[in-house]
């Protein structure tokens, strides 16, 4: 039985729909290819066998996708979805809301222009990566209703302010990354009155997490340092590269 299928770092332009028959596979890795579309036939088995389709991890980072794979809502056990560095412009809540086990949503490095108000329907999310989308200006207050959310990364966008009370009732939220947004330099931070928002934006900026408005050596490096894992983006002198490790300055 095949648990992991790794076809990353190739020149694939599409994915064979027949792979959907691998009902016991828990991990598909298609990162760093030339994929511009995912066939709907990939989800045929998932649609008819929701309880036995086991896919939990789908990595489509660094491809050429312009939309979320149609039918992805049938992958009911999916918990990690990686879609960074594609050409996506929207977050399709109507498709993703069916993923009742989804914990990690990675949309960084795309062309996302807004965080949809319905984001709270993705109720199981623990981590949302939206850094390096450049165009995001507004963050809906309803995002604070995600009671399991621990990390939100908005670095390198166009956010001018946040609703101060957004995370007042969110006990798990502790890492909010907002470096290289207008709110870090337009005077908004100095006017914060909410104690909870102060903890996330100001207090955490002095901690090892590198959250808040604190500058980081790479758009990716600090997030993964704690897990002893380093992305290629960190392997440079600018990021204090040290034999493949991200060094915490």
């Amino acid at each position: 039985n095949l648990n992991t299928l790794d076809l990353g770092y190739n020149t694939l332009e599409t994915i064979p729909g027949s792979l959907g028959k691998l009902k016991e596979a828990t991990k598909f890795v298609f990162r760093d290819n030339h994929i511009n579309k995912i066939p709907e036939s990939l989800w045929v088995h998932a649609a008819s066998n929701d309880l036995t389709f086991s896919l939990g991890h789908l990595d489509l980072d660094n491809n050429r996708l312009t939309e979320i794979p149609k039918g992805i809502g049938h992958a009911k056990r999916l918990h990690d979805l990686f879609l960074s560095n594609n050409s996506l412009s929207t977050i399709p809540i109507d498709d993703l809301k069916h993923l009742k086990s989804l914990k990690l949503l990675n949309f960084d490095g795309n062309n996302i222009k807004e965080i949809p108000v319905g984001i709270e329907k993705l109720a199981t999310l623990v981590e949302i990566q939206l850094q390096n989308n450049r165009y995001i200006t507004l963050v809906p207050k309803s995002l604070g209703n995600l009671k399991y959310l621990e990390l939100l990364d908005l670095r390198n966008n166009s956010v001018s302010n946040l609703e101060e009370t957004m995370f007042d009732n969110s006990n798990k939220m502790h890492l909010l990354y907002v470096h290289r947004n207008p709110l870090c330099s337009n005077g908004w931070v100095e006017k914060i009155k909410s104690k909870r928002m102060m903890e996330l934006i100001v207090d955490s900026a002095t901690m090892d997490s590198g959250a808040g408005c604190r500058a980081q050596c790479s758009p990716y490096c600090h997030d993964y340092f704690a897990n002893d894992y380093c992305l290629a983006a960190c392997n440079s002198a600018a990021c204090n590269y040290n034999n493949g490790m991200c060094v915490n300055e």
Side-chain angles (χ1 to χ4, degrees):
N1 295 329
L2 182 66
N3 291 321
T4 298
L5 177 65
D6 190 343
L7 294 175
Y9 300 96
N10 282 290
T11 56
L12 298 177
E13 295 184 0
T14 188
I15 297 172
S18 58
L19 293 181
K21 296 179 181 179
L22 301 175
K23 66 177 183 178
E24 295 183 6
T26 60
K27 185 175 183 179
F28 282 169
V29 178
F30 302 118
R31 63 175 300 126
D32 292 274
N33 277 285
H34 301 157
I35 298 168
N36 54 42
K37 188 175 183 180
I38 307 296
E40 291 188 46
S41 55
L42 182 67
W43 312 109
V44 169
H45 182 88
S48 58
N49 298 277
D50 282 343
L51 297 179
T52 58
F53 191 70
S54 303
L55 186 66
H57 179 108
L58 178 60
D59 187 345
L60 288 162
D61 283 354
N62 306 319
N63 277 288
R64 300 175 180 176
L65 294 170
T66 57
E67 61 180 1
I68 293 291
K70 297 294 184 182
I72 194 171
H74 293 298
K76 298 298 177 68
R77 296 187 180 184
L78 192 66
H79 49 77
D80 293 339
L81 179 58
F82 292 87
L83 288 161
S84 66
N85 299 319
N86 278 278
S87 297
L88 302 167
S89 58
T90 60
I91 301 175
I93 298 299
D94 287 342
D95 291 321
L96 298 178
K97 69 182 181 182
H98 300 293
L99 303 177
K100 302 301 183 181
S101 299
L102 191 63
K103 294 182 178 181
L104 186 152
L105 185 63
N106 193 332
F107 269 81
D108 69 272
N110 280 283
N111 299 313
I112 305 297
K113 295 178 175 60
E114 65 177 1
I115 302 174
V117 173
I119 190 77
E120 71 276 6
K121 294 178 181 179
L122 310 183
T124 55
L125 281 177
V126 174
E127 180 174 333
I128 304 176
Q129 299 274 359
L130 290 170
Q131 66 269 31
N132 304 316
N133 274 286
R134 299 168 293 169
Y135 307 118
I136 296 174
T137 58
L138 299 175
V139 180
K141 183 178 180 180
S142 59
L143 191 146
N145 294 329
L146 293 170
K147 62 180 180 179
Y148 300 109
L149 189 65
E150 297 179 6
L151 184 152
L152 174 62
D153 196 333
L154 294 168
R155 285 173 291 167
N156 196 21
N157 276 289
S158 302
V159 180
S160 297
N161 62 77
L162 295 171
E163 172 59 53
E164 282 196 33
T165 60
M166 179 184 301
F167 298 113
D168 279 2
N169 298 314
S170 181
N171 296 325
K172 292 185 178 293
M173 181 67 184
H174 65 281
L175 292 173
L176 176 59
Y177 296 87
V178 291
H179 177 56
R180 295 192 69 185
N181 278 275
L183 64 79
C184 288
S185 58
N186 65 5
W188 179 81
V189 172
E190 289 75 16
K191 297 177 182 178
I192 295 175
K193 295 180 180 180
S194 165
K195 180 179 178 181
R196 184 75 175 106
M197 188 62 75
M198 282 287 288
E199 291 174 350
L200 293 170
I201 297 291
V202 180
D203 296 348
S204 63
T206 63
M207 301 177 185
D208 290 339
S209 67
C213 287
R214 180 179 173 181
Q216 297 181 40
C217 56
S218 158
Y220 309 94
C221 188
H222 224 120
D223 288 348
Y224 293 89
F225 177 77
N227 297 321
D228 293 326
Y229 179 70
C230 187
L231 297 182
C234 302
N235 295 346
S236 67
C239 194
N240 200 359
Y241 172 66
N242 182 20
N243 296 322
M245 290 298 297
C246 299
V247 178
N248 188 3
E249 295 179 337

